[in-house]
């Protein structure tokens, strides 16, 4: 079975105040490559995907405080951060959303993380973590979202200071 990442939506996640990324799901394309200069959000994007799927196993609650985007208007007592993923497999749609709120009481700020939401073809599933584990087990996460540091020039696309992030957006799972 082939699971394909169709769309990512990031709200107040690290360097992304509001970003919607839709991937080309052409059947001949098996891998999406995200590349660019260092410091432009490639690793932030991949960390967002993994946090949405696996939560505190990827980003601790203490570290999560530093992941909230802080723009011009930083005075709000509550900042909401969200990562949403939309996958498809065999005509089925899977939507996964994880939200955290950064609450500021004037002295300190602390994150509050909501339970991940999992929808299958528009129907919410109550045991979301089990559904995510069945869809994309934690044990294979290193195979579908990883970084490659390179020093070679790759055609006209990259120079020696650039970082390549590879997301094989077709995940083959052993479970049907």
């Amino acid at each position: 079975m082939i699971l394909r990442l169709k769309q990512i939506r990031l709200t107040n996640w690290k360097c992304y105040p509001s970003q919607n990324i839709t991937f080309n799901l052409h059947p001949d394309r098996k891998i999406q490559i995200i590349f660019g200069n260092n410091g432009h959000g490639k690793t932030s994007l991949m960390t967002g995907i993994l946090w949405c799927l696996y939560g505190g196993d990827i980003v601790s609650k203490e570290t999560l405080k530093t992941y909230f985007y802080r723009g011009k208007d930083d005075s709000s007592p509550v900042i909401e951060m969200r990562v949403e993923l939309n996958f498809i497999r065999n005509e089925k749609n899977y939507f996964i959303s994880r939200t955290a709120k950064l609450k500021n009481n004037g002295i300190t700020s602390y994150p509050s993380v909501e339970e991940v939401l999992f929808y299958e073809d528009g129907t919410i599933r109550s045991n979301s973590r089990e559904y995510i584990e069945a869809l994309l087990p934690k044990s294979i996460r290193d195979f579908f979202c990883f970084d490659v540091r390179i020093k070679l020039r790759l055609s006209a696309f990259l120079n020696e200071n650039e970082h390549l992030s590879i997301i094989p957006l077709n995940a083959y799972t052993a479970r049907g």
Side-chain angles (χ1 to χ4, degrees):
M1 300 281 170
I2 297 174
L3 179 70
R4 303 184 79 189
L5 181 57
K6 181 179 179 182
Q7 187 175 48
I8 304 168
R9 180 171 293 137
L10 304 153
T11 305
N12 291 325
W13 176 263
K14 296 196 80 167
C15 62
Y16 298 103
S18 179
Q19 183 72 45
N20 188 29
I21 301 167
T22 302
F23 293 97
N24 181 346
L25 297 182
H26 190 278
D28 293 338
R29 296 190 176 150
K30 305 293 183 207
I31 300 173
Q32 298 288 348
I33 297 175
I34 299 168
F35 67 93
N37 290 328
N38 289 333
H40 282 81
K42 300 171 299 303
T43 301
S44 294
L45 176 65
M46 290 191 306
T47 305
I49 293 169
L50 293 171
W51 177 76
C52 184
L53 293 168
Y54 309 117
D57 292 345
I58 301 301
V59 181
S60 71
K61 209 171 190 181
E62 187 60 34
T63 303
L64 191 63
K65 288 191 326 188
T66 65
Y67 281 41
F68 286 81
Y69 174 81
R70 298 217 169 101
K72 293 178 184 174
D73 182 19
D74 199 35
S75 61
S76 176
V78 178
I79 301 170
E80 186 172 278
M81 174 172 68
R82 178 176 294 125
V83 178
E84 301 168 327
L85 307 173
N86 182 232
F87 292 94
I88 60 168
R89 180 174 69 188
N90 296 341
E91 307 298 322
K92 283 196 168 213
N93 277 296
Y94 301 95
F95 177 79
I96 302 166
S97 177
R98 190 176 296 269
T99 302
K101 294 179 182 176
L102 186 65
K103 299 178 181 181
N104 187 343
N105 65 8
I107 300 169
T108 61
S109 59
Y110 56 95
S112 167
V113 182
E114 297 177 7
E115 184 59 39
V116 64
L117 300 176
F118 184 95
Y119 294 83
E120 182 178 11
D121 283 335
T123 303
I124 193 163
R125 302 297 182 189
S126 60
N127 49 348
S128 57
R129 291 181 192 198
E130 291 175 23
Y131 274 92
I132 291 169
E133 184 64 22
L135 200 62
L136 282 166
K138 282 185 231 177
S139 62
I140 67 165
R141 72 180 181 217
D142 292 336
F143 298 104
F144 64 84
C145 197
F146 56 91
D147 284 345
V148 178
R149 301 244 180 235
I150 62 169
K151 294 182 180 178
L152 304 173
R153 285 189 97 136
L154 293 177
S155 185
F157 296 110
L158 301 174
N159 67 45
E160 62 188 31
N161 296 321
E162 291 178 311
H163 178 108
L164 178 68
S165 296
I166 300 175
I167 305 175
L169 297 178
N170 298 321
Y172 294 86
T173 60
R175 302 172 190 192

